[in-house]
Amino acid sequence: MGVSHPLLTFFLTAADGCFPPVDGRVTVLPPLPGGLECSVAFTGHAVVATAMTSQAVHTLGPDGFGASLSPDFLRHLAGPKGWIGVTDATLTARGTGGPPHLAELTDADDHSRVRHARELRTNVKVYGDERGLVTLADGLAGRRELSIELHNIQDGSQGHGRSLLTDALSLVPEADPVFAAVSPGNARSLRAFLACGFTPIGSEVLLRPGRG
């Protein structure tokens, strides 16, 4: 993994089944590298990584029971000109290791999925085949993140999403945690991740503040 952030500990312990206390509180941490910030919700506890002071964060009364992801709080956090990303479900699984089942691609830099990954993540590597492509990178707080996109979903995925995800897990050393951020509204993708052993541990929103 890349340079880690204190938030990484929350993700790694949650991947092991150990979560923050269910106390309704909000833990405030320093901002993420690259000018990014975030609000992450676990069960009954939230974690906000920001350059704002703890007092400023709590002005609108966020809590660990959902208010840390409310639109009003996120706009308060981002500022009037800041970018607010989508709310994603945070999922985690374990790598299966062994011989990699996908080849690395060197000609996919213009793909929208790859461009998006490079905007928000570091050490991005791209893999794939005729089914679709996979990005594997150092993402939020330095965690290892995986994302996939099929080439053709017009007539249904025909199980390609699940098979591609299964092969993608071979790119991660056996038993090492890997994370994915999946839109809850993308039911087809969410079902594929869950079927491949990914477990929900929370939800998250990335921000690029513009307060001044």
Side-chain angles (χ1 to χ4, degrees):
M1 295 187 183
V3 178
S4 65
H5 180 277
L7 177 58
L8 180 62
T9 299
F10 286 85
F11 288 131
L12 294 179
T13 54
D16 287 332
C18 298
F19 292 88
V22 183
D23 54 13
R25 295 184 177 180
V26 177
T27 296
V28 180
L29 298 176
L32 302 164
L36 293 172
E37 301 188 357
C38 68
S39 182
V40 179
F42 297 100
T43 299
H45 196 96
V47 182
V48 174
T50 177
M52 295 177 69
T53 66
S54 181
Q55 181 179 4
V57 168
H58 286 89
T59 298
L60 289 189
D63 59 38
F65 300 121
S68 66
L69 295 179
S70 71
D72 286 344
F73 175 71
L74 294 176
R75 178 49 63 196
H76 168 69
L77 198 63
K81 298 181 179 180
W83 167 79
I84 301 174
V86 299
T87 300
D88 283 327
T90 310
L91 311 178
T92 187
R94 299 283 173 173
T96 56
H101 296 167
L102 292 169
E104 187 169 359
L105 304 180
T106 58
D107 58 353
D109 287 348
D110 290 335
H111 193 284
S112 59
R113 172 71 63 176
V114 177
R115 291 199 304 268
H116 178 73
R118 295 194 192 283
E119 288 175 1
L120 300 175
R121 303 168 187 141
T122 59
N123 300 323
V124 178
K125 292 188 176 182
V126 185
Y127 304 84
D129 55 23
E130 70 282 354
R131 294 167 296 177
L133 60 80
V134 172
T135 65
L136 193 63
D138 295 332
L140 179 54
R143 70 190 185 187
R144 182 181 286 111
E145 288 185 9
L146 180 154
S147 70
I148 71 166
E149 184 163 319
L150 298 181
H151 291 318
N152 185 1
I153 60 172
Q154 299 305 316
D155 300 321
S157 66
Q158 301 177 333
H160 289 168
R162 298 183 186 190
S163 65
L164 187 61
L165 267 175
T166 299
D167 288 347
L169 288 174
S170 72
L171 303 172
V172 180
E174 184 178 2
D176 277 9
V178 63
F179 298 85
V182 179
S183 170
N186 190 348
R188 183 182 292 175
S189 177
L190 188 57
R191 290 197 303 267
F193 275 87
L194 295 176
C196 291
F198 280 79
T199 302
I201 59 172
S203 53
E204 62 189 53
V205 176
L206 273 173
L207 310 121
R208 194 179 298 279
R211 304 186 186 100

